[in-house]
Amino acid sequence: MPLVSMRQLLDEAAKGGYGVGAFNVNNMEQIQAIMEAAQQTKSPVIIQASRGARQYAQDRYLYHLMLAAAELYPEIPIAMHQDHGNSFETCKSAIELGFTSVMMDGSLKADGKTPTEFEENVEVTRRVVDFAHERGVTVEGEIGVLGGIEDGHGAGGTGLEHVTDPDQAVEFAERTGVDALAIAIGTSHGAYKFSKKPDGSVLKMDILIEIHKRLPKTHLVMHGSSSVPKDLQDVVNQYGGKLKETWGVPVEEIQLGIQHGVRKINVDTDNRLAITGAIRKVLWESPEKFDPRDYNKPAREAMQKVVATRMTQFGQAGHAGDYSPLAIADIAKGYADGSLVTAPLVSAK
Ligand code: 13P
Protein backbone atom coordinates (compact mmCIF):
# COMPACT_ATOMS: atom_id res chain seq x y z
CA MET A 1 0.00 0.00 0.00
CA PRO A 2 1.38 3.47 -0.76
CA LEU A 3 1.75 5.90 2.14
CA VAL A 4 -1.72 7.28 2.83
CA SER A 5 -3.14 10.66 3.66
CA MET A 6 -3.38 11.25 7.41
CA ARG A 7 -6.63 13.09 6.74
CA GLN A 8 -8.16 9.92 5.30
CA LEU A 9 -6.82 7.87 8.20
CA LEU A 10 -8.31 10.30 10.76
CA ASP A 11 -11.64 10.65 8.89
CA GLU A 12 -11.94 6.86 9.05
CA ALA A 13 -11.05 6.90 12.76
CA ALA A 14 -13.80 9.48 13.36
CA LYS A 15 -16.30 7.27 11.50
CA GLY A 16 -15.24 4.29 13.59
CA GLY A 17 -15.05 6.26 16.86
CA TYR A 18 -11.46 5.30 17.65
CA GLY A 19 -8.08 7.02 18.07
CA VAL A 20 -4.83 6.41 16.20
CA GLY A 21 -1.45 6.39 17.93
CA ALA A 22 1.23 8.52 16.30
CA PHE A 23 4.56 7.03 17.24
CA ASN A 24 7.89 8.81 16.84
CA VAL A 25 10.80 7.18 15.05
CA ASN A 26 14.50 7.84 14.59
CA ASN A 27 15.80 4.57 13.18
CA MET A 28 15.02 1.30 11.47
CA GLU A 29 14.32 -0.71 14.62
CA GLN A 30 11.61 1.71 15.77
CA ILE A 31 9.88 1.58 12.38
CA GLN A 32 10.09 -2.22 12.47
CA ALA A 33 8.64 -2.34 15.98
CA ILE A 34 5.67 -0.18 14.97
CA MET A 35 5.00 -2.18 11.81
CA GLU A 36 5.17 -5.51 13.65
CA ALA A 37 2.72 -4.15 16.22
CA ALA A 38 0.42 -2.83 13.46
CA GLN A 39 0.44 -6.20 11.72
CA GLN A 40 -0.11 -8.07 14.98
CA THR A 41 -3.11 -5.90 15.90
CA LYS A 42 -4.29 -5.14 12.33
CA SER A 43 -4.02 -1.41 12.91
CA PRO A 44 -3.74 1.61 10.63
CA VAL A 45 -0.86 3.72 11.89
CA ILE A 46 0.78 7.13 11.93
CA ILE A 47 4.56 7.17 12.00
CA GLN A 48 6.05 10.54 12.80
CA ALA A 49 9.48 12.12 12.68
CA SER A 50 10.51 15.30 14.45
CA ARG A 51 13.05 17.71 13.03
CA GLY A 52 15.58 16.12 15.37
CA ALA A 53 14.77 12.68 13.94
CA ARG A 54 15.14 13.91 10.38
CA GLN A 55 18.53 15.33 11.26
CA TYR A 56 19.62 12.22 13.15
CA ALA A 57 18.56 9.67 10.54
CA GLN A 58 18.89 11.91 7.47
CA ASP A 59 15.84 12.50 5.31
CA ARG A 60 16.64 10.03 2.56
CA TYR A 61 17.29 7.13 4.94
CA LEU A 62 14.11 7.88 6.82
CA TYR A 63 11.99 8.19 3.71
CA HIS A 64 13.25 4.96 2.18
CA LEU A 65 12.73 3.10 5.47
CA MET A 66 9.13 4.31 5.36
CA LEU A 67 8.77 3.16 1.77
CA ALA A 68 10.14 -0.23 2.83
CA ALA A 69 7.50 -0.40 5.56
CA ALA A 70 4.74 0.40 3.06
CA GLU A 71 6.12 -2.24 0.68
CA LEU A 72 6.50 -4.94 3.32
CA TYR A 73 3.09 -4.38 4.96
CA PRO A 74 0.74 -3.70 2.03
CA GLU A 75 -2.30 -4.40 4.18
CA ILE A 76 -1.52 -1.61 6.68
CA PRO A 77 -2.48 2.03 5.97
CA ILE A 78 0.51 4.17 7.05
CA ALA A 79 0.60 7.95 7.22
CA MET A 80 4.02 9.58 7.42
CA HIS A 81 3.89 12.73 9.51
CA GLN A 82 6.28 15.59 10.30
CA ASP A 83 6.07 16.15 14.06
CA HIS A 84 6.41 19.77 15.28
CA GLY A 85 7.41 21.54 12.09
CA ASN A 86 8.82 24.87 13.32
CA SER A 87 8.47 26.89 10.10
CA PHE A 88 6.95 26.95 6.63
CA GLU A 89 10.30 25.80 5.23
CA THR A 90 10.45 22.70 7.48
CA CYS A 91 6.94 21.69 6.42
CA LYS A 92 7.68 22.41 2.75
CA SER A 93 10.80 20.24 2.83
CA ALA A 94 8.84 17.39 4.48
CA ILE A 95 6.13 17.62 1.81
CA GLU A 96 8.71 17.67 -0.96
CA LEU A 97 10.37 14.62 0.58
CA GLY A 98 7.11 12.63 0.51
CA PHE A 99 5.54 13.02 3.96
CA THR A 100 1.77 12.67 3.66
CA SER A 101 1.12 14.93 6.64
CA VAL A 102 2.81 17.80 8.45
CA MET A 103 2.41 19.56 11.75
CA MET A 104 2.97 23.29 11.62
CA ASP A 105 3.56 24.12 15.26
CA GLY A 106 2.96 27.85 15.00
CA SER A 107 2.29 28.05 18.74
CA LEU A 108 6.03 28.63 19.05
CA LYS A 109 8.36 30.78 17.01
CA ALA A 110 10.84 29.14 14.62
CA ASP A 111 13.30 28.86 17.54
CA GLY A 112 10.94 26.17 18.86
CA LYS A 113 10.89 27.80 22.31
CA THR A 114 9.19 31.20 22.37
CA PRO A 115 5.36 31.30 22.32
CA THR A 116 3.94 33.28 19.38
CA GLU A 117 1.07 35.71 19.17
CA PHE A 118 -2.21 34.32 17.82
CA GLU A 119 -2.05 36.24 14.53
CA GLU A 120 1.46 34.97 13.81
CA ASN A 121 0.32 31.39 14.39
CA VAL A 122 -2.70 31.83 12.09
CA GLU A 123 -0.58 33.37 9.35
CA VAL A 124 2.16 30.72 9.20
CA THR A 125 -0.28 27.83 9.61
CA ARG A 126 -2.56 29.14 6.88
CA ARG A 127 0.43 29.44 4.57
CA VAL A 128 1.35 25.79 5.23
CA VAL A 129 -2.28 24.70 4.72
CA ASP A 130 -2.43 26.41 1.31
CA PHE A 131 0.84 24.78 0.19
CA ALA A 132 0.05 21.35 1.65
CA HIS A 133 -3.57 20.99 0.57
CA GLU A 134 -2.71 21.87 -3.01
CA ARG A 135 -0.50 18.75 -2.87
CA GLY A 136 -2.99 16.55 -1.01
CA VAL A 137 -1.00 16.67 2.24
CA THR A 138 -2.69 16.85 5.65
CA VAL A 139 -1.96 19.64 8.14
CA GLU A 140 -2.04 19.59 11.92
CA GLY A 141 -1.87 22.93 13.73
CA GLU A 142 -1.44 23.76 17.39
CA ILE A 143 -3.20 26.30 19.54
CA GLY A 144 -2.16 26.78 23.15
CA VAL A 145 1.32 25.61 24.16
CA LEU A 146 2.38 22.17 25.37
CA GLY A 147 4.69 21.91 28.35
CA GLY A 148 8.09 20.26 28.44
CA ILE A 149 10.79 19.98 25.81
CA GLU A 150 11.21 17.26 23.20
CA ASP A 151 14.24 17.03 20.93
CA GLY A 152 15.07 20.62 21.89
CA HIS A 153 11.55 21.73 20.86
CA GLY A 154 9.20 23.16 23.45
CA ALA A 155 8.46 26.07 25.75
CA GLY A 156 9.40 24.04 28.85
CA GLY A 157 7.43 24.34 32.07
CA THR A 158 4.31 22.43 33.01
CA GLY A 159 1.52 21.76 30.55
CA LEU A 160 -0.82 24.10 32.39
CA GLU A 161 0.83 27.40 31.59
CA HIS A 162 -0.78 28.02 28.18
CA VAL A 163 -3.97 25.96 28.12
CA THR A 164 -6.00 26.35 24.91
CA ASP A 165 -8.78 28.93 24.92
CA PRO A 166 -11.80 27.34 23.14
CA ASP A 167 -12.78 30.63 21.41
CA GLN A 168 -9.28 30.89 19.97
CA ALA A 169 -9.36 27.23 18.92
CA VAL A 170 -12.54 27.81 16.91
CA GLU A 171 -11.23 30.99 15.28
CA PHE A 172 -7.90 29.31 14.55
CA ALA A 173 -9.50 26.26 12.91
CA GLU A 174 -11.82 28.41 10.82
CA ARG A 175 -9.14 30.81 9.65
CA THR A 176 -6.47 28.21 8.89
CA GLY A 177 -8.47 25.23 7.58
CA VAL A 178 -6.28 22.70 9.44
CA ASP A 179 -7.34 19.07 9.27
CA ALA A 180 -6.23 18.30 12.81
CA LEU A 181 -5.70 20.49 15.83
CA ALA A 182 -3.35 19.90 18.74
CA ILE A 183 -4.70 21.51 21.86
CA ALA A 184 -3.03 22.14 25.21
CA ILE A 185 -4.99 20.64 28.08
CA GLY A 186 -2.20 20.15 30.58
CA THR A 187 -0.02 17.48 29.00
CA SER A 188 3.67 17.97 28.34
CA HIS A 189 6.39 16.19 26.41
CA GLY A 190 8.89 13.88 28.06
CA ALA A 191 8.94 11.59 31.09
CA TYR A 192 8.37 14.21 33.81
CA LYS A 193 4.77 15.27 33.31
CA PHE A 194 3.17 15.03 36.74
CA SER A 195 4.46 14.54 40.27
CA LYS A 196 1.33 12.60 41.24
CA LYS A 197 -1.24 10.59 39.32
CA PRO A 198 -3.30 13.16 37.39
CA ASP A 199 -7.09 12.96 37.42
CA GLY A 200 -9.82 14.93 35.64
CA SER A 201 -9.03 17.95 37.78
CA VAL A 202 -5.45 18.15 36.49
CA LEU A 203 -6.01 17.51 32.80
CA LYS A 204 -8.45 20.02 31.33
CA MET A 205 -10.80 17.47 29.77
CA ASP A 206 -13.70 19.94 30.05
CA ILE A 207 -11.86 22.24 27.62
CA LEU A 208 -11.28 19.38 25.21
CA ILE A 209 -14.96 18.41 25.36
CA GLU A 210 -16.06 21.98 24.69
CA ILE A 211 -13.68 22.38 21.73
CA HIS A 212 -14.96 19.17 20.20
CA LYS A 213 -18.57 20.34 20.59
CA ARG A 214 -17.76 23.54 18.75
CA LEU A 215 -15.46 21.98 16.13
CA PRO A 216 -16.99 18.55 15.54
CA LYS A 217 -15.25 18.04 12.20
CA THR A 218 -11.73 19.01 13.26
CA HIS A 219 -9.73 16.03 14.44
CA LEU A 220 -8.25 16.75 17.86
CA VAL A 221 -4.70 15.72 18.72
CA MET A 222 -3.29 14.93 22.13
CA HIS A 223 0.44 15.50 22.38
CA GLY A 224 2.54 14.43 25.33
CA SER A 225 0.38 11.35 25.77
CA SER A 226 2.82 8.81 27.07
CA SER A 227 1.54 7.09 30.17
CA VAL A 228 5.07 6.59 31.55
CA PRO A 229 4.11 3.26 33.16
CA LYS A 230 5.82 2.37 36.42
CA ASP A 231 6.90 -1.05 35.13
CA LEU A 232 8.89 0.56 32.31
CA GLN A 233 10.48 3.05 34.75
CA ASP A 234 11.34 0.16 37.06
CA VAL A 235 13.20 -1.81 34.38
CA VAL A 236 15.34 1.23 33.56
CA ASN A 237 16.13 1.84 37.24
CA GLN A 238 16.65 -1.83 38.09
CA TYR A 239 19.50 -1.99 35.60
CA GLY A 240 21.41 1.10 36.59
CA GLY A 241 19.15 3.90 35.34
CA LYS A 242 18.35 6.96 37.46
CA LEU A 243 14.83 8.03 36.63
CA LYS A 244 13.04 10.09 39.26
CA GLU A 245 9.51 9.12 40.30
CA THR A 246 7.01 10.43 37.75
CA TRP A 247 3.52 9.99 36.29
CA GLY A 248 2.25 10.23 32.73
CA VAL A 249 -1.18 10.56 31.17
CA PRO A 250 -3.51 7.77 32.34
CA VAL A 251 -4.85 5.71 29.44
CA GLU A 252 -8.42 6.23 30.75
CA GLU A 253 -8.05 9.98 30.24
CA ILE A 254 -6.93 9.39 26.64
CA GLN A 255 -9.88 7.06 26.12
CA LEU A 256 -12.20 9.78 27.45
CA GLY A 257 -10.60 12.15 24.95
CA ILE A 258 -11.21 9.65 22.14
CA GLN A 259 -14.92 9.69 23.03
CA HIS A 260 -14.77 13.46 22.48
CA GLY A 261 -13.01 13.88 19.16
CA VAL A 262 -9.37 12.97 19.88
CA ARG A 263 -8.21 11.04 16.81
CA LYS A 264 -4.42 11.31 16.97
CA ILE A 265 -2.45 10.48 20.11
CA ASN A 266 1.27 11.22 20.22
CA VAL A 267 3.47 8.73 22.02
CA ASP A 268 7.25 8.79 22.12
CA THR A 269 8.52 8.64 25.71
CA ASP A 270 6.95 5.25 26.53
CA ASN A 271 8.80 3.71 23.60
CA ARG A 272 12.06 5.39 24.57
CA LEU A 273 11.70 3.96 28.07
CA ALA A 274 10.93 0.47 26.75
CA ILE A 275 13.95 0.52 24.44
CA THR A 276 16.33 1.87 27.06
CA GLY A 277 15.15 -0.58 29.71
CA ALA A 278 15.63 -3.55 27.38
CA ILE A 279 19.11 -2.45 26.33
CA ARG A 280 20.18 -1.76 29.92
CA LYS A 281 18.96 -5.18 30.99
CA VAL A 282 21.03 -7.02 28.38
CA LEU A 283 24.18 -5.01 29.03
CA TRP A 284 23.77 -5.29 32.81
CA GLU A 285 23.14 -9.00 32.82
CA SER A 286 25.62 -9.92 30.08
CA PRO A 287 28.44 -7.37 30.14
CA GLU A 288 30.49 -9.59 27.86
CA LYS A 289 28.10 -8.99 24.94
CA PHE A 290 29.05 -6.54 22.22
CA ASP A 291 26.97 -7.50 19.17
CA PRO A 292 24.40 -4.68 18.74
CA ARG A 293 21.81 -7.25 17.67
CA ASP A 294 21.98 -8.78 21.15
CA TYR A 295 20.39 -5.67 22.62
CA ASN A 296 18.63 -4.11 19.61
CA LYS A 297 16.43 -7.16 19.16
CA PRO A 298 15.02 -7.19 22.72
CA ALA A 299 14.72 -3.39 22.51
CA ARG A 300 12.66 -3.69 19.33
CA GLU A 301 10.49 -6.36 20.93
CA ALA A 302 9.94 -4.21 24.03
CA MET A 303 8.82 -1.29 21.87
CA GLN A 304 6.55 -3.53 19.79
CA LYS A 305 4.82 -4.64 22.99
CA VAL A 306 4.17 -1.06 24.12
CA VAL A 307 2.91 0.01 20.68
CA ALA A 308 0.61 -3.02 20.31
CA THR A 309 -0.84 -2.33 23.77
CA ARG A 310 -1.51 1.32 22.90
CA MET A 311 -3.05 0.36 19.54
CA THR A 312 -5.50 -1.87 21.36
CA GLN A 313 -6.23 0.74 24.06
CA PHE A 314 -6.78 3.53 21.50
CA GLY A 315 -9.20 1.32 19.53
CA GLN A 316 -7.39 1.35 16.18
CA ALA A 317 -6.74 -2.42 16.40
CA GLY A 318 -8.71 -4.40 13.84
CA HIS A 319 -9.33 -1.40 11.54
CA ALA A 320 -6.45 -1.75 9.06
CA GLY A 321 -8.64 -3.41 6.45
CA ASP A 322 -11.67 -1.11 6.72
CA TYR A 323 -10.84 1.02 3.69
CA SER A 324 -8.70 1.39 0.58
CA PRO A 325 -6.27 4.26 0.39
CA LEU A 326 -7.23 7.22 -1.74
CA ALA A 327 -4.53 8.54 -4.06
CA ILE A 328 -2.91 11.67 -2.68
CA ALA A 329 -3.84 13.41 -5.97
CA ASP A 330 -7.52 12.65 -5.26
CA ILE A 331 -7.17 14.05 -1.77
CA ALA A 332 -5.79 17.24 -3.35
CA LYS A 333 -8.88 17.38 -5.59
CA GLY A 334 -11.08 17.00 -2.50
CA TYR A 335 -9.43 20.06 -0.93
CA ALA A 336 -9.72 21.99 -4.20
CA ASP A 337 -13.42 21.26 -4.73
CA GLY A 338 -14.28 21.89 -1.09
CA SER A 339 -15.42 18.36 -0.23
CA LEU A 340 -12.61 17.95 2.31
CA VAL A 341 -12.96 21.21 4.19
CA THR A 342 -12.89 20.74 7.95
CA ALA A 343 -14.21 23.90 9.57
CA PRO A 344 -16.20 26.62 7.78
CA LEU A 345 -13.35 28.63 6.37
CA VAL A 346 -13.24 32.37 6.65
CA SER A 347 -10.73 34.32 4.64
CA ALA A 348 -7.41 34.97 6.30
CA LYS A 349 -6.95 38.58 7.49
P1 13P B 1 5.47 11.95 24.99
O1 13P B 1 6.76 12.59 25.40
O2 13P B 1 4.44 12.02 26.07
O3 13P B 1 5.64 10.60 24.45
O4 13P B 1 4.87 12.84 23.81
C1 13P B 1 5.35 12.74 22.49
C2 13P B 1 4.79 13.78 21.61
O5 13P B 1 3.83 14.47 21.92
C3 13P B 1 5.43 13.96 20.29
O6 13P B 1 4.99 15.11 19.62
Side-chain angles (χ1 to χ4, degrees):
M1 194 180 283
L3 296 171
V4 307
S5 149
M6 188 172 87
R7 171 65 187 267
Q8 186 189 7
L9 212 129
L10 298 184
D11 283 352
E12 290 291 338
K15 269 191 236 162
Y18 58 90
V20 183
F23 303 101
N24 288 75
V25 296
N26 301 279
N27 63 19
M28 179 182 76
E29 283 79 4
Q30 289 179 302
I31 295 176
Q32 290 173 329
I34 295 168
M35 293 316 300
E36 283 297 304
Q39 188 184 51
Q40 180 193 341
T41 60
K42 301 187 172 43
S43 298
V45 70
I46 300 164
I47 299 188
Q48 59 186 9
S50 65
R51 275 185 302 139
R54 285 177 60 188
Q55 235 166 32
Y56 171 82
Q58 291 187 29
D59 281 351
R60 301 306 300 170
Y61 280 118
L62 207 52
Y63 180 59
H64 285 276
L65 285 169
M66 291 300 304
L67 290 186
E71 189 183 316
L72 289 167
Y73 299 86
E75 71 287 9
I76 305 290
I78 313 168
M80 183 178 180
H81 177 77
Q82 163 80 57
D83 192 22
H84 291 287
N86 64 324
S87 63
F88 174 80
E89 287 69 29
T90 298
C91 294
K92 180 171 180 275
S93 69
I95 293 165
E96 286 169 349
L97 183 65
F99 282 60
T100 59
S101 179
V102 293
M103 175 187 194
M104 178 59 235
D105 180 359
S107 72
L108 298 175
K109 290 184 183 286
D111 67 5
K113 291 178 176 46
T114 317
T116 50
E117 294 299 324
F118 180 72
E119 287 300 325
E120 199 177 341
N121 190 357
V122 169
E123 194 187 317
V124 68
T125 306
R126 177 72 196 235
R127 200 173 154 216
V128 171
V129 168
D130 288 343
F131 185 84
H133 282 185
E134 221 180 292
R135 291 155 182 81
V137 171
T138 312
V139 181
E140 172 186 338
E142 175 166 326
I143 186 79
V145 182
L146 269 280
I149 297 181
E150 183 197 27
D151 277 359
H153 183 102
T158 75
L160 289 164
E161 284 164 31
H162 303 274
V163 169
T164 304
D165 167 3
D167 289 337
Q168 277 200 344
V170 173
E171 187 183 341
F172 182 81
E174 291 184 343
R175 287 179 56 195
T176 59
V178 288
D179 304 275
L181 184 61
I183 55 172
I185 55 162
T187 64
S188 51
H189 293 123
Y192 299 105
K193 300 183 196 301
F194 306 108
S195 50
K196 64 180 177 61
K197 187 176 173 179
D199 54 23
S201 63
V202 174
L203 286 174
K204 303 291 175 204
M205 298 309 283
D206 50 335
I207 289 186
L208 185 149
I209 291 168
E210 186 183 341
I211 294 173
H212 177 54
K213 267 198 202 129
R214 293 173 63 184
L215 285 174
K217 291 187 177 162
T218 304
H219 304 301
L220 299 183
V221 183
M222 268 177 83
H223 279 247
S225 292
S226 277
S227 300
V228 197
K230 177 132 178 22
D231 58 332
L232 294 182
Q233 296 178 44
D234 286 349
V235 178
V236 173
N237 286 340
Q238 189 182 342
Y239 298 103
K242 282 199 168 36
L243 294 172
K244 288 174 278 177
E245 195 174 43
T246 179
W247 278 265
V249 180
V251 170
E252 315 86 72
E253 297 284 327
I254 298 171
Q255 288 168 333
L256 178 65
I258 293 170
Q259 286 168 27
H260 295 280
V262 170
R263 299 293 159 233
K264 175 172 179 277
I265 303 112
N266 284 18
V267 174
D268 186 9
T269 297
D270 284 353
N271 291 325
R272 292 178 173 200
L273 289 172
I275 289 168
T276 299
I279 292 175
R280 279 192 173 279
K281 183 170 190 293
V282 172
L283 297 181
W284 183 274
E285 287 178 343
S286 316
E288 74 285 359
K289 289 198 166 157
F290 59 89
D291 181 340
R293 290 171 298 187
D294 286 338
Y295 50 83
N296 279 335
K297 194 160 175 282
R300 189 170 59 191
E301 284 162 5
M303 173 163 164
Q304 178 186 337
K305 210 168 137 202
V306 172
V307 173
T309 305
R310 295 287 174 269
M311 286 171 160
T312 306
Q313 290 165 329
F314 300 161
Q316 72 208 82
H319 288 287
D322 289 358
Y323 50 95
S324 310
L326 293 167
I328 296 293
D330 288 335
I331 299 278
K333 275 189 213 141
Y335 287 124
D337 67 23
S339 55
L340 272 181
V341 166
T342 302
L345 268 186
V346 296
S347 55
K349 275 186 192 160

